[in-house]
Amino acid sequence: MGTCSSLRRNNRREFSAALVLDPFLLLLLLFFFQLVFFSQRSLADNSASLNVTKYRQVSSLRLARIERHLKKINKPAVYTIESPDGDIIDCVHKRKQPALDHPLLKNHKIQRVPPEMPKAKMMKTDGVRDTNTSSSGTRGRAWQYWHHSGQRCPKGTVPIRRSSVNDVLRAKSLYDFGKKQRKMSLARQADAPDVVSGNGHEHAIAYTGTSQEVYGAKATINVWDPTIEVVNEFSLSQIWVLSGSFDGSDLNSIEAGWQVSPELYGDSRPRLFTYWTLCILQSDAYQATGCYNLLCSGFVQTNSRIAIGAAISPISLANANQYDITILIWKDPKLGNWWMGFGDNTLVGYWPTELFTHLADRATMVEWGGEVVNSRPNGEHTSTQMGSGHFADEGFGKASYFRNLEVVDSDNSLSSAQAISTLAENSNCYNIKSSNNNEWGTHFYYGGPGRNSLCY
């Protein structure tokens, strides 16, 4: 016992001496700790239940590739803001943003003339709204969590959430970082909505028919923070604007809403997100270009106050104040770009028409609703929640909702969505219930808890 202790003391002295006498050994140790640090996979919230803190060695070659990629998407900042939730927001000059790196946008000039807003009767709102059962009002609250810092990006810049090495390491690979894992069967019905049933994705959605000519869509979406069972699952609530062939050569999509994705963001906060894709048929599956938020070139941001990918604040609580965000996606009738609005009058930015094939003309289908990934952890259905985690039948204050569903027609006018269909692949896990009234127009409640006695 004493001999072992003496050996440990002698070893510690020899090791300490080696650190002092051998700078090369010290450098090797520092490099090793750097690899462990960069490979740490942790979440700011809910880390204990998700159990995602893992350590693994990362090769210097892979680390170098990741850092080269991050240098491409993390543009030099004019000003940097540290959000209270840990996000780093870089204020990047508009003309230096990632969008303009896209090969189809090399000669693109950022649209400076505001697009023509769709014609409709609108109530002025501040993006995040407080809704009670008896009335709807506006509160002077922050749109996003980073606003609590009290700082803003300077004029002429756009706020971009900085990506880190850890963000990339949580993804399956560098190639998969910022992308949806999306494979669609060729056996899919040509008129089916854009769902990926059987691939671990489950939905509760409302959708229009495929025979319509659509130039945009709008909805007000209730914001919650659903729990996620495992790190590679997500829960989102969004609008899909789609065009193309569901069983043919390509499919274009523009998507926006809120999502909780521990793998993408490293925490369990609901965040404003965008997504776009152009799916090209290769062999028996669709391979997609495009990405979330600003994680690849494409989406051109014009707003200096809204950071895509940043956390939304405040959020709803059961039997308490309900908060929602309004999302509008529409095609500018003059220049053809697809714009995104947040609230009723805040322009966030646009997807240039050059990015698309079918959407260069118009959309043919719109979907509204929720989506989760069910990876069947431990061989059972996931307990990842959709919406609030409550079923549609529980109604206001418990179930999450989409209200005032609208579509944009060929003369750039908003009208209430009519004759919508609804779909939930497994109503024992997540369901949907639509209705219509004067205040909320076409609307629905949706969601669910996932795994339960009837969902397994």
Side-chain angles (χ1 to χ4, degrees):
M1 188 81 165
T3 302
C4 291
S5 299
S6 299
L7 285 172
R8 283 196 293 270
R9 285 195 296 269
N10 290 335
N11 286 340
R12 282 197 294 268
R13 284 195 291 268
E14 290 167 7
F15 183 71
S16 300
L19 290 180
V20 174
L21 297 175
D22 194 343
F24 180 73
L25 178 58
L26 179 60
L27 287 174
L28 284 177
L29 286 169
L30 287 174
F31 180 70
F32 171 78
F33 287 126
Q34 180 188 43
L35 292 182
V36 172
F37 172 78
F38 280 127
S39 62
Q40 183 179 0
R41 301 175 66 177
S42 60
L43 294 179
D45 295 312
N46 208 23
S47 58
S49 61
L50 285 171
N51 191 25
V52 297
T53 301
K54 295 181 180 178
Y55 295 88
R56 58 193 170 110
Q57 291 189 16
V58 182
S59 71
S60 58
L61 183 62
R62 186 184 182 200
L63 190 58
R65 285 199 298 266
I66 291 172
E67 288 176 336
R68 282 197 300 272
H69 181 74
L70 291 175
K71 190 174 181 180
K72 289 181 181 179
I73 62 175
N74 290 332
K75 299 298 184 181
V78 173
Y79 185 70
T80 295
I81 298 170
E82 294 187 19
S83 173
D85 65 354
D87 279 357
I88 302 297
I89 306 296
D90 288 326
C91 304
V92 176
H93 196 285
K94 283 182 181 180
R95 290 194 291 271
K96 301 294 184 181
Q97 62 181 295
L100 304 180
D101 291 339
H102 196 286
L104 296 176
L105 303 179
K106 289 296 184 183
N107 299 315
H108 182 81
K109 293 184 178 179
I110 295 177
Q111 182 174 338
R112 303 181 70 177
V113 178
E116 181 183 340
M117 298 289 292
K119 297 178 288 290
K121 293 181 180 180
M122 298 183 181
M123 293 186 299
K124 191 175 180 62
T125 178
D126 272 341
V128 174
R129 297 177 45 171
D130 174 45
T131 305
N132 299 306
T133 53
S134 59
S135 64
S136 297
T138 300
R139 292 174 64 114
R141 303 287 294 275
W143 290 343
Q144 295 187 305
Y145 204 85
W146 68 280
H147 291 165
H148 293 306
S149 68
Q151 302 177 74
R152 297 289 185 269
C153 281
K155 186 177 180 181
T157 67
V158 293
I160 300 178
R161 181 182 180 271
R162 186 186 300 178
S163 296
S164 69
V165 171
N166 279 343
D167 290 337
V168 180
L169 289 176
R170 283 191 302 271
K172 183 178 178 182
S173 68
L174 179 57
Y175 174 81
D176 294 312
F177 175 57
K179 298 176 182 176
K180 283 186 182 181
Q181 301 307 303
R182 181 188 191 113
K183 293 183 180 179
M184 301 181 193
S185 168
L186 289 180
R188 199 166 167 277
Q189 294 181 3
D191 61 346
D194 177 40
V195 298
V196 199
S197 306
N199 192 37
H201 292 238
E202 297 188 19
H203 305 77
I205 61 170
Y207 60 97
T208 64
T210 57
S211 60
Q212 289 185 251
E213 292 187 1
V214 184
Y215 295 83
K218 184 178 182 180
T220 296
I221 310 171
N222 198 195
V223 181
W224 294 78
D225 59 343
T227 59
I228 311 298
E229 181 170 353
V230 293
V231 68
N232 64 339
E233 296 181 339
F234 65 66
S235 180
L236 58 76
S237 298
Q238 67 169 59
I239 300 173
W240 289 259
V241 176
L242 305 157
S243 188
S245 174
F246 289 97
D247 62 349
S249 58
D250 63 348
L251 175 69
N252 298 184
S253 78
I254 292 174
E255 308 168 28
W258 63 262
Q259 71 176 161
V260 176
S261 176
E263 180 178 274
L264 188 59
Y265 304 106
D267 63 21
S268 297
R269 298 180 185 275
R271 292 171 177 271
L272 178 69
F273 84 97
T274 62
Y275 192 82
W276 70 275
T277 190
L278 189 155
C279 296
I280 302 173
L281 180 63
Q282 293 182 355
S283 184
D284 62 346
Y286 287 92
Q287 300 299 318
T289 60
C291 63
Y292 281 113
N293 307 332
L294 305 181
L295 297 178
C296 68
S297 53
F299 183 83
V300 178
Q301 184 154 344
T302 59
N303 189 281
S304 63
R305 295 195 65 195
I306 303 298
I308 299 172
I312 297 171
S313 176
I315 59 175
S316 304
L317 296 173
N319 297 318
N321 287 337
Q322 299 299 296
Y323 296 95
D324 50 39
I325 59 173
T326 299
I327 300 289
L328 168 65
I329 300 169
W330 86 104
K331 189 174 179 63
D332 180 4
K334 292 183 178 179
L335 297 180
N337 298 320
W338 286 89
W339 279 82
M340 175 183 169
F342 183 76
D344 284 328
N345 298 303
T346 301
L347 299 175
V348 179
Y350 62 91
W351 294 268
T353 189
E354 297 97 311
L355 296 175
F356 303 105
T357 52
H358 291 288
L359 279 175
D361 184 17
R362 62 183 179 274
T364 55
M365 179 183 280
V366 173
E367 298 168 14
W368 303 263
E371 177 182 355
V372 300
V373 171
N374 171 28
S375 64
R376 295 195 64 81
N378 303 316
E380 298 181 303
H381 193 285
T382 183
S383 62
T384 287
Q385 299 174 337
M386 181 188 292
S388 66
H390 292 265
F391 285 115
D393 310 78
E394 298 185 60
F396 186 86
K398 287 190 176 180
S400 187
Y401 61 79
F402 275 64
R403 62 182 177 85
N404 301 107
L405 275 58
E406 296 177 287
V407 293
V408 181
D409 59 24
S410 58
D411 68 353
N412 203 36
S413 295
L414 275 165
S415 59
S416 182
Q418 302 295 325
I420 61 169
S421 302
T422 59
L423 170 73
E425 295 102 329
N426 191 343
S427 59
N428 288 329
C429 305
Y430 315 103
N431 67 359
I432 182 169
K433 183 178 181 181
S434 64
S435 188
N436 192 291
N437 61 34
N438 289 334
E439 184 180 3
W440 280 21
T442 301
H443 64 277
F444 60 83
Y445 290 98
Y446 71 104
R451 185 172 63 245
N452 62 73
S453 60
L454 297 177
C455 171
Y456 45 86

